[in-house]
Amino acid sequence: MQAAMYLLSLAVMCWKLQQVYSVQLRDHGYEDVIIAVHPQVPENPQIITAIKTGCAMLSAILKWHHLGFQNYRRSEKDMVSEASFYLFNATKRRFFYREVKILVPNTWQSLNFQRPQYEAHQKASVMISNPNFSYGNDPYTLHYKGCGNKGKYIHFTPDFLMDDNLLMVYGPRGKVFLHEWAHFQWGVFDEYNYEKPFFLSVDNEIKATRCSSEMVGMYVCKKRSCSDGECIIDPLTGNLEEGCMFLANSNQKVKSSIMYMQSLSSIVEFCTEQDHDKEAPNMQNKICSYRSSWDVIKSSADFKSTKPILGTGPPPPPSFLLLRSRARVICLVLDISDNMAKGQQFHRLRQAAAIFLQQLVEPGSYVGIVTFNETAEVKSTLRHIVSEDVRWNLTSCLPDTVRGGMSVCEGISAGLQVNKGLDGITEGSEIILAVSGRDTSLPTCLTNVLGSGSVIHTIAVGHDADPELESLTESTGGKMFFTSNNKDSDNLIGAFTEIFPVNKDPPDLLTKITSVQRLIEAEGHFSGLVIMDKTVGNDTVFTITWEAGDPPYVIIRDPSGFNYTNENFDHNLLCQVSNLKIPGISQAGFWTYIITNTLKKSQVVGILVTSRPSSSTIPPTTISGEWTDEGITPEQPRTVFAELKQGHIAVQGANVTAVIEPESGDPIIVTLKDNGAGADTLRNDGIYSGYIFLFPKNGRYALKILAKSTNTTSLVPALNNAAMYVPGYIENGTINMNPPKPIVTSFEQRSIEPFSRIHFLGSFKVSYVLENMENKDIFPPCRIVDLEARLQNDYAILTWTAPGDNYDQGSASSYDIRTSNSPSELQQHFPMAVVVNTSSIHPKPAGSRETFSFKLHNGTGDRGIILYIAIRATDKAAQQSPVSNLVHVTRHVLQLKDLNFAISSAVPRFNTTVIVISLSVLSLCLLLGGGLYCWRKQASFQLLSDAHSIELQEFYTGTPKQEALCKDQELPMHVTSTDDMSEETVIILEERMDF
């Protein structure tokens, strides 16, 4: 019977796991799409209306049947419902949105809302919050895990949802949602590039960075640097100079791409292999190695598991569930069995709980306490946190002894009953469960837990904690932590600091500045530095913990030299916790501390420093993190990400370290880097990444992240997967410009004052470590992700960051570089591509910059070539890294005849296009009357054909001697003969120059 119950519980848990982690796909429909409104956003029911569907759904479905999708047009404010139609169409009738949950702050009162269960802001797929410095009202997706991997969240502003003036620059909100959804769910990237809006193709065509390459439009100038308002070609590069832009025709025949310009009415599809431009210098090509967005989507697990829906009808409309955050209801369920008597486990648990009650749990919450061994005891029913007295009364209810066996289920059951005490239900309540031993009956209470709707956070105390403990967290959407018995471990206190809402109003945001635990010898001391930056300082608390007797002697010195001593602290002698609360706003600068052990024996002493923002308008520097969800194997290491930012501004150049604490032994230290190499996707985006793979043994590991500023730390605007702000359109041959993109705040890269932060990320398990594994080389070099290439004098010059012998540690043994005219050959059949001789390369240590060059072999005559290049590394055990990102070099022949050929060949392709192309400065060296002189004049001519207007500026004609004279007078050179021009061209040119 117990076995059957266990299997049933596991089955229910597996179903529940799909509900609490992320968006789920079931029978073509996406469910658990959580759209969360940030607490800073004022209450406005129109935001809800803008997100969800309106009453036009039935008529919309009828329109689908009678008019077809292309003629269907919904209310522009019904974003998700509209997006569902676009999603269904763009994915060839595969996907739609079935269930969307809108989570609003608990301050919103005007509508009828339900109570959330596991839904929380930190689990949201979409965040609605105020504009940030980097993007303004640009919709964007935070995505840093590379091509084909899911993003973290989508960001919209209230103005984007409600201001119809933005429809001209972003397009229908439903298509914008789909654009961002492709970033978030399938890991594709943008197909435009603000920094490189044009490129010169291998055929000498100037093209806009776009997809599809068949999209038509006009090149126009937007800056005064352009001559007479016309675009200018740089004679050195052959590309358009800065100041030009590409404006698309508002009416197009092409249907792609949603990842380029979703605003156009005809754009309803993603770029495919047939219309994808592999030469375009956009992020999709760079990150996804020249694969089309549709190819990446087709490779996703969603696509592979889902076939198109037969028929011609529309998808079912999405359902919406309105949820409102409520005051937190939390019960501490603490193990007091004999298992807790080992070492200082019970003492540390009581200290951590006391710190949580006295200073961490937010005002307005309801908190209860339950202890358990073989039976459970309610130490305190729910108390409303409204004063310091309530906090101290709760602290006094903490247990003081341990005894007996253990029944986790008894403790959980009592905790759920305590949480019912507020209003008779447990949905959305929380349990913090701390367990040290094993309980074989644990699986029997899974069903009760899942039915309660509560979230359970687990803390495994010591290496003997039940191995199934995390199943409670995984099945309810809670957080999991582990703390070892190591004397200098601060992960138990750290766990309680992290069970805290992450999306609070800025004044309530808890910032952890320093956390240190040290074993101090008898009458010894330890000292340190605390960096208090100006973004924090409100409600600053120095917390001191110790093991026995009276408090240690403490001196805290502020930047002005004032000393705080034991007389300034509040002491809890039962729990051995002392708190120093700094009045007002703490001084910014360097604080110091000295802690002296007054006992005649050694003891562990700790210090924790927390603070809150000093201003409601200036956001603090914050750190958050996550790791890849895949299980750790030799083939797939765990990747850790830490995001360091100030508000929405990236913090680059910091020293960020991951500390991994095993069940026993020394911690593992890994430096996280923001260098765009190894585990890191983009350089200097404020996302610091690193691989973790060298584990000494199987078991649990705790992970925390330390961040500290350096002399080179600075703030930079983050750039991450934002929908294009369209500058304007061409309508019936007329230029219609949109308003210039507004700047939220003028911002340039600037230095940042010193700071330090700490983040306790949680725990994970490792189970693949084998005996004597440390003597085996099972880890290959990591993938090279930052390969770059440029062409110089027929040589391809490559640069990249060196990988290691084991992922990003050590040195690789050799490199294998291959080339091909086809990117797909490099991706799918790398060994079949052309080999480049790399025998001269001696790989440098991991993290070093490598440079290598080789000469191109021109097998295509004088027409130019385009060559794709990739690299992979090999270690001493002959293990090979995955194939790198792909790059290409293009060699074009910058001659006027080729340019004329490109223009003339482009005319029939751009059937309704106006193309404006300009060459930099016209200088003609003319031989007149037996004398030689240089005469410089700007000229333009137009080739008119139907609706085409090709404008060429500044042609050069002459002989070699004239060229030499022009060169002596430092005139720009691009000299050809008029023989290369058509008769019509020469006539027009002569007329313009008054010949």
Side-chain angles (χ1 to χ4, degrees):
M1 181 66 180
Q2 183 173 341
M5 181 65 71
Y6 178 64
L7 292 175
L8 175 62
S9 298
L10 285 181
V12 176
M13 185 186 75
C14 290
W15 174 83
K16 191 69 175 179
L17 276 173
Q18 296 180 346
Q19 308 299 308
V20 300
Y21 267 146
S22 61
V23 172
Q24 297 300 319
L25 178 64
R26 182 175 64 85
D27 191 22
H28 300 275
Y30 285 111
E31 301 177 348
D32 268 357
V33 180
I34 301 175
I35 301 178
V37 181
H38 195 277
Q40 282 186 290
V41 177
E43 182 171 2
N44 188 342
Q46 292 183 9
I47 292 177
I48 305 299
T49 303
I51 295 172
K52 62 194 292 280
T53 184
C55 60
M57 176 58 70
L58 179 60
S59 62
I61 295 175
L62 295 176
K63 287 181 181 180
W64 176 289
H65 285 292
H66 294 293
L67 301 179
F69 183 84
Q70 295 298 321
N71 295 322
Y72 163 76
R73 186 169 182 82
R74 291 184 41 75
S75 167
E76 300 290 5
K77 288 184 180 293
D78 300 339
M79 180 179 69
V80 176
S81 299
E82 182 185 55
S84 190
F85 282 98
Y86 285 119
L87 171 65
F88 191 66
N89 182 70
T91 58
K92 318 299 182 187
R93 303 180 60 83
R94 280 180 174 81
F95 311 122
F96 58 89
Y97 299 112
R98 176 180 283 114
E99 178 193 59
V100 177
K101 299 176 180 180
I102 303 174
L103 179 64
V104 303
N106 57 12
T107 55
W108 288 36
Q109 303 292 334
S110 59
L111 299 175
N112 292 323
F113 298 96
Q114 297 185 33
R115 175 179 298 175
Q117 296 183 22
Y118 56 83
E119 300 88 358
H121 283 80
Q122 56 265 41
K123 294 183 175 66
S125 308
V126 182
M127 292 294 302
I128 310 297
S129 64
N130 295 329
N132 64 61
F133 291 103
S134 301
Y135 297 105
N137 283 312
D138 280 356
Y140 71 90
T141 300
L142 182 61
H143 180 215
Y144 45 75
K145 294 183 180 179
C147 184
N149 296 311
K150 293 184 179 182
K152 190 170 184 180
Y153 61 80
I154 299 169
H155 181 277
F156 295 124
T157 68
D159 285 344
F160 168 78
L161 293 174
M162 296 186 296
D163 186 354
D164 288 344
N165 292 321
L166 297 177
L167 293 174
M168 287 301 296
V169 295
Y170 297 115
R173 295 183 180 93
K175 272 203 284 187
V176 175
F177 189 97
L178 176 56
H179 174 102
E180 299 304 330
W181 185 261
H183 287 310
F184 170 79
Q185 186 67 16
W186 301 313
V188 300
F189 289 80
D190 289 319
E191 292 165 344
Y192 67 89
N193 189 332
Y194 286 136
E195 300 298 324
K196 297 179 180 179
F198 308 104
F199 67 98
L200 189 63
S201 74
V202 67
D203 298 322
N204 270 346
E205 286 190 65
I206 295 178
K207 293 184 177 181
T209 302
R210 64 183 185 264
C211 197
S212 137
S213 58
E214 301 298 320
M215 184 176 290
V216 296
M218 176 185 290
Y219 299 110
V220 300
C221 182
K222 62 179 179 179
K223 292 187 176 180
R224 293 181 180 179
S225 60
C226 305
S227 176
D228 297 330
E230 298 167 350
C231 290
I232 298 175
I233 290 182
D234 187 331
L236 298 179
T237 66
N239 205 346
L240 295 176
E241 289 188 346
E242 183 181 359
C244 290
M245 68 172 68
F246 175 77
L247 296 185
N249 288 359
S250 58
N251 296 316
Q252 302 278 344
K253 293 183 178 180
V254 297
K255 296 182 179 180
S256 62
S257 169
I258 291 168
M259 301 314 296
Y260 172 61
M261 193 176 290
Q262 74 286 331
S263 58
L264 297 176
S265 59
S266 69
I267 304 302
V268 292
E269 296 178 355
F270 296 97
C271 252
T272 66
E273 286 299 302
Q274 286 69 42
D275 53 14
H276 177 65
D277 194 337
K278 296 181 176 65
E279 292 187 71
N282 54 38
M283 291 299 292
Q284 175 63 24
N285 277 332
K286 179 179 179 180
I287 304 298
C288 294
S289 293
Y290 304 95
R291 297 169 63 194
S292 70
S293 55
W294 183 241
D295 184 50
V296 175
I297 293 170
K298 288 196 301 181
S299 300
S300 67
D302 291 354
F303 194 96
K304 291 179 179 179
S305 63
T306 308
K307 295 182 178 180
I309 297 176
L310 300 178
T312 59
S319 64
F320 293 88
L321 186 63
L322 302 183
L323 306 172
R324 181 173 58 213
S325 302
R326 66 164 187 168
R328 296 183 77 191
V329 177
I330 311 167
C331 186
L332 305 186
V333 179
L334 308 178
D335 182 357
I336 60 167
S337 68
D338 289 336
N339 299 298
M340 274 290 180
K342 299 175 183 177
Q344 291 291 319
Q345 289 180 172
F346 176 70
H347 175 71
R348 290 186 179 187
L349 176 61
R350 190 169 56 179
Q351 283 183 330
I355 293 171
F356 177 78
L357 295 172
Q358 290 176 358
Q359 66 183 74
L360 298 180
V361 65
E362 63 270 36
S365 301
Y366 294 85
V367 181
I369 301 174
V370 167
T371 60
F372 69 93
N373 40 37
E374 301 99 331
T375 60
E377 178 184 358
V378 176
K379 304 293 289 187
S380 174
T381 57
L382 291 178
R383 301 290 304 273
H384 195 195
I385 306 297
V386 294
S387 67
E388 291 297 316
D389 289 341
V390 174
R391 293 180 183 272
W392 280 99
N393 287 337
L394 278 169
T395 304
S396 67
C397 295
L398 291 173
D400 55 7
T401 58
V402 295
R403 63 186 181 279
M406 183 179 69
S407 173
V408 176
C409 290
E410 289 290 329
I412 292 175
S413 179
L416 292 175
Q417 286 299 122
V418 168
N419 285 346
K420 274 186 177 182
L422 182 62
D423 51 16
I425 60 176
T426 58
E427 290 184 345
S429 65
E430 300 170 74
I431 285 178
I432 300 177
L433 177 64
V435 176
S436 178
R438 300 185 178 222
D439 181 3
T440 57
S441 65
L442 179 61
T444 63
C445 57
L446 278 176
T447 303
N448 186 34
V449 168
L450 296 178
S452 70
S454 295
V455 175
I456 298 184
H457 310 287
T458 59
I459 304 174
V461 183
H463 64 273
D464 289 331
D466 197 291
E468 298 299 325
L469 184 63
E470 284 82 1
S471 64
L472 296 169
T473 296
E474 293 168 345
S475 61
T476 62
K479 298 180 180 181
M480 62 183 76
F481 298 92
F482 160 72
T483 180
S484 72
N485 293 328
N486 296 337
K487 291 186 176 182
D488 58 354
S489 173
D490 59 350
N491 280 295
L492 185 51
I493 292 176
F496 278 91
T497 67
E498 295 295 342
I499 304 175
F500 191 86
V502 297
N503 284 85
K504 299 292 293 180
D505 287 323
D508 298 326
L509 188 64
L510 181 71
T511 300
K512 296 173 290 297
I513 298 174
T514 296
S515 178
V516 182
Q517 297 263 16
R518 288 287 184 272
L519 177 64
I520 306 179
E521 297 299 325
E523 299 182 342
H525 69 271
F526 86 100
S527 59
L529 192 69
V530 176
I531 305 174
M532 194 74 63
D533 58 283
K534 291 181 180 178
T535 66
V536 294
N538 188 33
D539 193 23
T540 301
V541 180
F542 287 76
T543 300
I544 308 297
T545 58
W546 70 98
E547 285 186 332
D550 293 331
Y553 185 69
V554 181
I555 300 176
I556 307 290
R557 176 170 296 176
D558 69 18
S560 67
F562 180 81
N563 289 339
Y564 296 89
T565 61
N566 287 39
E567 291 74 18
N568 303 111
F569 281 79
D570 294 322
H571 303 287
N572 183 336
L573 299 181
L574 178 63
C575 297
Q576 281 86 43
V577 176
S578 297
N579 292 324
L580 169 65
K581 296 185 178 181
I582 306 299
I585 303 297
S586 303
Q587 292 183 44
F590 296 97
W591 294 60
T592 61
Y593 61 85
I594 301 177
I595 305 176
T596 302
N597 178 15
T598 58
L599 299 183
K600 299 296 183 180
K601 62 179 181 178
S602 61
Q603 68 168 328
V604 175
V605 175
I607 180 171
L608 170 70
V609 182
T610 61
S611 189
R612 300 181 194 274
S614 59
S615 169
S616 60
T617 58
I618 300 177
T621 301
T622 59
I623 184 171
S624 60
E626 63 173 319
W627 57 66
T628 49
D629 295 331
E630 297 84 0
I632 302 177
T633 66
E635 296 78 20
Q636 182 66 50
R638 179 142 291 187
T639 305
V640 177
F641 305 95
E643 182 183 11
L644 198 57
K645 61 183 181 179
Q646 189 180 90
H648 293 282
I649 306 173
V651 179
Q652 70 172 26
N655 185 353
V656 182
T657 304
V659 181
I660 303 98
E661 180 181 296
E663 292 180 350
S664 61
D666 296 331
I668 303 168
I669 309 297
V670 175
T671 298
L672 306 184
K673 299 179 180 179
D674 185 17
N675 61 353
D680 196 58
T681 301
L682 295 176
R683 180 191 301 268
N684 294 334
D685 63 348
I687 307 296
Y688 298 75
S689 314
Y691 293 120
I692 304 177
F693 55 92
L694 292 174
F695 297 98
K697 59 183 68 176
N698 293 322
R700 289 185 175 97
Y701 289 81
L703 173 61
K704 65 181 176 183
I705 300 174
L706 310 177
K708 190 175 182 180
S709 59
T710 67
N711 293 334
T712 60
T713 303
S714 60
L715 298 173
V716 293
L719 299 175
N720 209 330
N721 303 298
M724 178 189 285
Y725 187 100
V726 180
Y729 305 93
I730 305 299
E731 298 186 47
N732 299 321
T734 301
I735 298 175
N736 289 327
M737 299 299 295
N738 288 322
K741 184 177 180 178
I743 300 176
V744 178
T745 300
S746 179
F747 183 86
E748 297 179 356
Q749 180 173 341
R750 64 174 184 262
S751 60
I752 185 173
E753 62 183 15
F755 70 87
S756 66
R757 297 291 186 268
I758 185 169
H759 175 49
F760 296 88
L761 195 51
S763 64
F764 57 86
K765 288 182 178 180
V766 174
S767 58
Y768 72 85
V769 179
L770 305 176
E771 290 186 7
N772 299 320
M773 190 170 174
E774 65 273 10
N775 299 322
K776 300 177 182 179
D777 188 350
I778 64 172
F779 302 108
C782 66
R783 179 174 180 254
I784 296 169
V785 297
D786 64 341
L787 180 64
E788 296 178 351
R790 60 186 175 89
L791 189 64
Q792 181 175 323
N793 297 329
D794 285 343
Y795 280 85
I797 301 176
L798 307 180
T799 57
W800 67 93
T801 300
D805 179 82
N806 297 323
Y807 292 111
D808 56 356
Q809 297 182 24
S811 300
S813 295
S814 63
Y815 293 117
D816 184 2
I817 298 176
R818 309 246 172 174
T819 67
S820 175
N821 294 323
S822 167
S824 61
E825 181 181 29
L826 289 173
Q827 293 164 349
Q828 302 170 15
H829 307 288
F830 184 83
M832 305 299 293
V834 178
V835 178
V836 175
N837 186 350
T838 59
S839 59
S840 62
I841 308 179
H842 302 287
K844 298 178 182 178
S848 305
R849 292 296 290 170
E850 300 270 27
T851 301
F852 176 72
S853 64
F854 64 94
K855 189 172 183 178
L856 300 185
H857 296 285
N858 187 2
T860 57
D862 296 329
R863 293 191 57 191
I865 59 173
I866 180 169
L867 196 67
Y868 295 91
I869 308 168
I871 183 175
R872 67 181 178 187
T874 303
D875 69 7
K876 60 180 180 289
Q879 298 178 110
Q880 295 178 323
S881 71
V883 177
S884 72
N885 65 298
L886 273 61
V887 294
H888 77 270
V889 292
T890 304
R891 181 170 65 187
H892 4 65
V893 182
L894 293 178
Q895 296 181 0
L896 184 59
K897 60 181 180 182
D898 291 328
L899 184 59
N900 283 334
F901 173 78
I903 294 170
S904 61
S905 65
V907 169
R909 288 177 62 194
F910 294 81
N911 195 18
T912 59
T913 309
V914 179
I915 307 175
V916 180
I917 303 179
S918 306
L919 294 173
S920 63
V921 181
L922 174 61
S923 298
L924 294 177
C925 296
L926 301 175
L927 183 62
L928 298 175
L932 190 64
Y933 72 96
C934 270
W935 178 72
R936 181 181 181 185
K937 182 175 181 180
Q938 177 177 324
S940 299
F941 69 90
Q942 291 185 334
L943 300 177
L944 302 177
S945 174
D946 300 329
H948 306 90
S949 174
I950 302 177
E951 186 167 276
L952 297 178
Q953 267 190 304
E954 304 168 336
F955 268 77
Y956 306 99
T957 61
T959 66
K961 290 184 179 180
Q962 296 166 350
E963 295 175 21
L965 180 60
C966 291
K967 184 175 182 180
D968 290 342
Q969 299 192 17
E970 298 182 349
L971 296 177
M973 295 301 305
H974 199 137
V975 183
T976 65
S977 170
T978 54
D979 292 340
D980 294 324
M981 303 181 188
S982 66
E983 181 178 355
E984 180 184 22
T985 301
V986 175
I987 293 174
I988 295 175
L989 181 61
E990 291 175 345
E991 290 176 349
R992 289 295 181 94
M993 297 183 64
D994 297 327
F995 275 175

